């Protein structure tokens, strides 16, 4: 598996490797943030949001964020699709849940700037990355080892 993974990363253009590394780093930061929040306050970590679906989603990011990290690190197209969906929902949820603060103190919304910038990066890069990963050579048959194996 290690050689196969090195081969998958090695076949990618430099810009793809850099973008995938940014995905992994960004979602690791998200994982850390949500794990710390839930470890500190349990399932009530996001009680400041009045919307129950937001609270459930943000607690669920404890599982979704590391899943994105694993799939992207394995250079899987599924990881890109999941990353885009998670970031779109995460950005919308954070803006929706924090919007009421803008009336009292608009500067509090600056906290959302890093999340928004990373989200825009993910959403803007997901299609080119998806295409690039789709141009990998087709599955090959390797006779040593006894069976067909995918080269992705």
């Amino acid at each position: 598996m290690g050689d196969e993974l090195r081969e998958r990363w090695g076949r990618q253009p430099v810009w793809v490797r850099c973008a995938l590394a940014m995905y992994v780093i960004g979602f690791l930061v998200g994982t850390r943030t949500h794990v710390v929040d839930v470890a500190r306050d349990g399932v009530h970590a996001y009680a400041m949001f009045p919307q129950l679906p937001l609270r459930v989603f943000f607690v669920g990011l404890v599982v979704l964020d590391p899943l994105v990290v694993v799939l992207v690190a394995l250079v899987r197209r599924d990881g890109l699709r999941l990353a885009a969906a998670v970031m779109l929902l995460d950005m919308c949820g954070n803006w929706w849940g924090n919007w009421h603060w803008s009336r009292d103190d608009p500067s509090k919304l600056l906290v959302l700037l890093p999340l928004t910038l990373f989200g825009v990066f993910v959403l803007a890069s997901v299609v080119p990355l998806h295409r690039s990963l789709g141009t990998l050579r087709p599955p090959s048959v390797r006779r040593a080892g006894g069976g067909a194996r995918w080269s992705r």
Side-chain angles (χ1 to χ4, degrees):
M1 177 66 177
D3 290 337
E4 222 175 286
L5 188 57
R6 254 188 306 259
E7 183 184 336
R8 277 189 221 158
W9 276 87
R11 284 193 317 241
Q12 304 306 321
V14 173
W15 73 270
V16 171
R17 283 183 269 169
C18 290
L20 293 177
M22 293 285 291
Y23 274 46
V24 169
I25 292 167
F27 280 96
L28 281 174
V29 169
T31 297
R32 183 200 59 82
T33 300
H34 295 289
V35 166
V36 167
D37 289 346
V38 171
R40 184 184 54 230
D41 298 323
V43 294
H44 302 292
Y46 301 101
M48 78 282 268
F49 294 112
Q51 305 91 344
L52 180 62
L54 287 183
R55 288 184 270 169
V56 171
F57 174 70
F58 290 137
V59 170
L61 287 175
V62 169
V63 174
L64 290 173
D65 280 348
L67 181 58
V68 170
V69 169
V70 169
L71 290 173
V72 169
L74 291 173
V75 193
R76 300 288 309 257
R77 293 172 88 189
D78 295 339
L80 299 176
R81 289 188 286 266
L82 183 60
V86 166
M87 283 313 303
L88 182 62
L89 291 171
D90 199 355
M91 283 192 315
C92 291
N94 269 289
W95 278 96
W96 178 33
N98 290 301
W99 191 252
H100 66 280
W101 292 353
S102 67
R103 288 184 223 128
D104 302 331
D105 185 6
S107 68
K108 286 188 177 183
L109 291 176
L110 288 176
V111 172
L112 299 177
L113 187 60
L115 170 80
T116 303
L117 292 174
F118 180 65
V120 168
F121 166 71
V122 168
L123 294 175
S125 64
V126 72
V127 171
L129 285 170
H130 198 270
R131 284 186 187 139
S132 180
L133 294 185
T135 60
L136 294 176
R137 65 181 173 212
S140 61
V141 176
R142 295 183 188 170
R143 302 216 185 267
R149 294 179 62 183
W150 293 90
S151 64
R152 292 187 208 212

PDB file of all heavy atoms in Angstrom, residues 4 7-8 11 136-140 142 149-152:
ATOM      1  N   GLU A   4       2.192   1.943  -3.478  1.00  0.00           N
ATOM      2  CA  GLU A   4       1.082   2.361  -4.330  1.00  0.00           C
ATOM      3  C   GLU A   4       0.694   3.815  -4.054  1.00  0.00           C
ATOM      4  O   GLU A   4       0.437   4.586  -4.968  1.00  0.00           O
ATOM      5  CB  GLU A   4      -0.123   1.451  -4.060  1.00  0.00           C
ATOM      6  CG  GLU A   4      -0.859   1.019  -5.298  1.00  0.00           C
ATOM      7  CD  GLU A   4      -1.945   0.031  -4.944  1.00  0.00           C
ATOM      8  OE1 GLU A   4      -1.619  -1.135  -4.641  1.00  0.00           O
ATOM      9  OE2 GLU A   4      -3.113   0.452  -4.961  1.00  0.00           O
ATOM     10  N   GLU A   7       3.248   6.132  -5.387  1.00  0.00           N
ATOM     11  CA  GLU A   7       3.100   6.198  -6.838  1.00  0.00           C
ATOM     12  C   GLU A   7       1.940   7.125  -7.215  1.00  0.00           C
ATOM     13  O   GLU A   7       2.055   7.923  -8.136  1.00  0.00           O
ATOM     14  CB  GLU A   7       2.854   4.791  -7.405  1.00  0.00           C
ATOM     15  CG  GLU A   7       2.756   4.755  -8.911  1.00  0.00           C
ATOM     16  CD  GLU A   7       2.425   3.367  -9.440  1.00  0.00           C
ATOM     17  OE1 GLU A   7       2.711   2.371  -8.753  1.00  0.00           O
ATOM     18  OE2 GLU A   7       1.859   3.308 -10.541  1.00  0.00           O
ATOM     19  N   ARG A   8       0.832   7.010  -6.491  1.00  0.00           N
ATOM     20  CA  ARG A   8      -0.317   7.881  -6.776  1.00  0.00           C
ATOM     21  C   ARG A   8       0.044   9.352  -6.618  1.00  0.00           C
ATOM     22  O   ARG A   8      -0.305  10.172  -7.447  1.00  0.00           O
ATOM     23  CB  ARG A   8      -1.473   7.571  -5.820  1.00  0.00           C
ATOM     24  CG  ARG A   8      -2.306   6.431  -6.252  1.00  0.00           C
ATOM     25  CD  ARG A   8      -3.527   6.349  -5.366  1.00  0.00           C
ATOM     26  NE  ARG A   8      -3.777   4.963  -5.066  1.00  0.00           N
ATOM     27  CZ  ARG A   8      -4.458   4.522  -4.039  1.00  0.00           C
ATOM     28  NH1 ARG A   8      -4.968   5.370  -3.184  1.00  0.00           N
ATOM     29  NH2 ARG A   8      -4.647   3.248  -3.852  1.00  0.00           N
ATOM     30  N   ARG A  11       2.625  10.549  -9.364  1.00  0.00           N
ATOM     31  CA  ARG A  11       2.107  10.743 -10.717  1.00  0.00           C
ATOM     32  C   ARG A  11       1.410  12.083 -10.890  1.00  0.00           C
ATOM     33  O   ARG A  11       1.138  12.494 -12.020  1.00  0.00           O
ATOM     34  CB  ARG A  11       1.091   9.642 -11.056  1.00  0.00           C
ATOM     35  CG  ARG A  11       1.729   8.322 -11.377  1.00  0.00           C
ATOM     36  CD  ARG A  11       0.724   7.373 -12.007  1.00  0.00           C
ATOM     37  NE  ARG A  11      -0.568   7.372 -11.354  1.00  0.00           N
ATOM     38  CZ  ARG A  11      -1.130   6.326 -10.769  1.00  0.00           C
ATOM     39  NH1 ARG A  11      -0.513   5.184 -10.761  1.00  0.00           N
ATOM     40  NH2 ARG A  11      -2.319   6.407 -10.224  1.00  0.00           N
ATOM     41  N   LEU A 136      -5.726   9.995 -14.684  1.00  0.00           N
ATOM     42  CA  LEU A 136      -4.753   8.951 -14.360  1.00  0.00           C
ATOM     43  C   LEU A 136      -4.924   7.788 -15.323  1.00  0.00           C
ATOM     44  O   LEU A 136      -6.005   7.565 -15.857  1.00  0.00           O
ATOM     45  CB  LEU A 136      -4.954   8.455 -12.930  1.00  0.00           C
ATOM     46  CG  LEU A 136      -4.669   9.459 -11.817  1.00  0.00           C
ATOM     47  CD1 LEU A 136      -5.004   8.832 -10.476  1.00  0.00           C
ATOM     48  CD2 LEU A 136      -3.238   9.904 -11.847  1.00  0.00           C
ATOM     49  N   ARG A 137      -3.866   7.041 -15.511  1.00  0.00           N
ATOM     50  CA  ARG A 137      -3.960   5.909 -16.443  1.00  0.00           C
ATOM     51  C   ARG A 137      -5.045   4.937 -15.973  1.00  0.00           C
ATOM     52  O   ARG A 137      -5.319   4.822 -14.787  1.00  0.00           O
ATOM     53  CB  ARG A 137      -2.619   5.226 -16.562  1.00  0.00           C
ATOM     54  CG  ARG A 137      -2.161   4.577 -15.293  1.00  0.00           C
ATOM     55  CD  ARG A 137      -0.804   3.943 -15.492  1.00  0.00           C
ATOM     56  NE  ARG A 137      -0.364   3.484 -14.189  1.00  0.00           N
ATOM     57  CZ  ARG A 137       0.869   3.443 -13.817  1.00  0.00           C
ATOM     58  NH1 ARG A 137       1.813   3.810 -14.631  1.00  0.00           N
ATOM     59  NH2 ARG A 137       1.198   3.020 -12.627  1.00  0.00           N
ATOM     60  N   PRO A 138      -5.651   4.238 -16.918  1.00  0.00           N
ATOM     61  CA  PRO A 138      -6.728   3.303 -16.569  1.00  0.00           C
ATOM     62  C   PRO A 138      -6.204   2.144 -15.743  1.00  0.00           C
ATOM     63  O   PRO A 138      -4.999   1.937 -15.664  1.00  0.00           O
ATOM     64  CB  PRO A 138      -7.253   2.842 -17.923  1.00  0.00           C
ATOM     65  CG  PRO A 138      -6.152   3.098 -18.876  1.00  0.00           C
ATOM     66  CD  PRO A 138      -5.368   4.265 -18.339  1.00  0.00           C
ATOM     67  N   PRO A 139      -7.121   1.385 -15.161  1.00  0.00           N
ATOM     68  CA  PRO A 139      -6.688   0.240 -14.348  1.00  0.00           C
ATOM     69  C   PRO A 139      -5.797  -0.694 -15.154  1.00  0.00           C
ATOM     70  O   PRO A 139      -6.001  -0.887 -16.345  1.00  0.00           O
ATOM     71  CB  PRO A 139      -8.004  -0.457 -13.982  1.00  0.00           C
ATOM     72  CG  PRO A 139      -9.061   0.554 -14.202  1.00  0.00           C
ATOM     73  CD  PRO A 139      -8.558   1.510 -15.235  1.00  0.00           C
ATOM     74  N   SER A 140      -4.819  -1.247 -14.472  1.00  0.00           N
ATOM     75  CA  SER A 140      -3.915  -2.171 -15.152  1.00  0.00           C
ATOM     76  C   SER A 140      -3.976  -3.524 -14.456  1.00  0.00           C
ATOM     77  O   SER A 140      -4.320  -3.625 -13.291  1.00  0.00           O
ATOM     78  CB  SER A 140      -2.490  -1.629 -15.128  1.00  0.00           C
ATOM     79  OG  SER A 140      -2.045  -1.496 -13.802  1.00  0.00           O
ATOM     80  N   ARG A 142      -1.888  -6.579 -13.076  1.00  0.00           N
ATOM     81  CA  ARG A 142      -0.550  -6.968 -12.665  1.00  0.00           C
ATOM     82  C   ARG A 142      -0.574  -8.460 -12.388  1.00  0.00           C
ATOM     83  O   ARG A 142      -1.298  -8.919 -11.522  1.00  0.00           O
ATOM     84  CB  ARG A 142      -0.139  -6.199 -11.414  1.00  0.00           C
ATOM     85  CG  ARG A 142      -0.025  -4.721 -11.654  1.00  0.00           C
ATOM     86  CD  ARG A 142       0.458  -4.045 -10.409  1.00  0.00           C
ATOM     87  NE  ARG A 142       0.386  -2.608 -10.594  1.00  0.00           N
ATOM     88  CZ  ARG A 142       0.565  -1.740  -9.635  1.00  0.00           C
ATOM     89  NH1 ARG A 142       0.824  -2.153  -8.418  1.00  0.00           N
ATOM     90  NH2 ARG A 142       0.496  -0.467  -9.871  1.00  0.00           N
ATOM     91  N   ARG A 149      -5.505  -5.415 -10.283  1.00  0.00           N
ATOM     92  CA  ARG A 149      -5.454  -4.370  -9.254  1.00  0.00           C
ATOM     93  C   ARG A 149      -5.625  -3.033  -9.935  1.00  0.00           C
ATOM     94  O   ARG A 149      -5.150  -2.802 -11.030  1.00  0.00           O
ATOM     95  CB  ARG A 149      -4.112  -4.403  -8.535  1.00  0.00           C
ATOM     96  CG  ARG A 149      -3.943  -5.689  -7.746  1.00  0.00           C
ATOM     97  CD  ARG A 149      -2.637  -5.721  -7.070  1.00  0.00           C
ATOM     98  NE  ARG A 149      -2.554  -4.634  -6.121  1.00  0.00           N
ATOM     99  CZ  ARG A 149      -1.477  -4.373  -5.411  1.00  0.00           C
ATOM    100  NH1 ARG A 149      -0.416  -5.102  -5.528  1.00  0.00           N
ATOM    101  NH2 ARG A 149      -1.468  -3.370  -4.586  1.00  0.00           N
ATOM    102  N   TRP A 150      -6.305  -2.153  -9.279  1.00  0.00           N
ATOM    103  CA  TRP A 150      -6.493  -0.801  -9.799  1.00  0.00           C
ATOM    104  C   TRP A 150      -5.222  -0.009  -9.567  1.00  0.00           C
ATOM    105  O   TRP A 150      -4.588  -0.137  -8.543  1.00  0.00           O
ATOM    106  CB  TRP A 150      -7.653  -0.109  -9.089  1.00  0.00           C
ATOM    107  CG  TRP A 150      -8.956  -0.727  -9.395  1.00  0.00           C
ATOM    108  CD1 TRP A 150      -9.559  -1.732  -8.712  1.00  0.00           C
ATOM    109  CD2 TRP A 150      -9.798  -0.414 -10.490  1.00  0.00           C
ATOM    110  NE1 TRP A 150     -10.740  -2.059  -9.301  1.00  0.00           N
ATOM    111  CE2 TRP A 150     -10.905  -1.265 -10.397  1.00  0.00           C
ATOM    112  CE3 TRP A 150      -9.735   0.491 -11.532  1.00  0.00           C
ATOM    113  CZ2 TRP A 150     -11.942  -1.209 -11.308  1.00  0.00           C
ATOM    114  CZ3 TRP A 150     -10.776   0.531 -12.433  1.00  0.00           C
ATOM    115  CH2 TRP A 150     -11.867  -0.318 -12.320  1.00  0.00           C
ATOM    116  N   SER A 151      -4.879   0.840 -10.508  1.00  0.00           N
ATOM    117  CA  SER A 151      -3.655   1.634 -10.361  1.00  0.00           C
ATOM    118  C   SER A 151      -3.916   2.926  -9.609  1.00  0.00           C
ATOM    119  O   SER A 151      -3.031   3.703  -9.393  1.00  0.00           O
ATOM    120  CB  SER A 151      -3.065   1.945 -11.742  1.00  0.00           C
ATOM    121  OG  SER A 151      -3.942   2.745 -12.488  1.00  0.00           O
ATOM    122  N   ARG A 152      -5.150   3.177  -9.220  1.00  0.00           N
ATOM    123  CA  ARG A 152      -5.445   4.391  -8.438  1.00  0.00           C
ATOM    124  C   ARG A 152      -5.369   4.105  -6.986  1.00  0.00           C
ATOM    125  O   ARG A 152      -5.973   3.370  -6.391  1.00  0.00           O
ATOM    126  CB  ARG A 152      -6.830   4.921  -8.744  1.00  0.00           C
ATOM    127  CG  ARG A 152      -6.943   5.442 -10.110  1.00  0.00           C
ATOM    128  CD  ARG A 152      -8.285   6.082 -10.229  1.00  0.00           C
ATOM    129  NE  ARG A 152      -8.672   5.992 -11.598  1.00  0.00           N
ATOM    130  CZ  ARG A 152      -9.388   6.869 -12.196  1.00  0.00           C
ATOM    131  NH1 ARG A 152      -9.845   7.880 -11.568  1.00  0.00           N
ATOM    132  NH2 ARG A 152      -9.694   6.744 -13.443  1.00  0.00           N
TER     133      ARG A 152
END
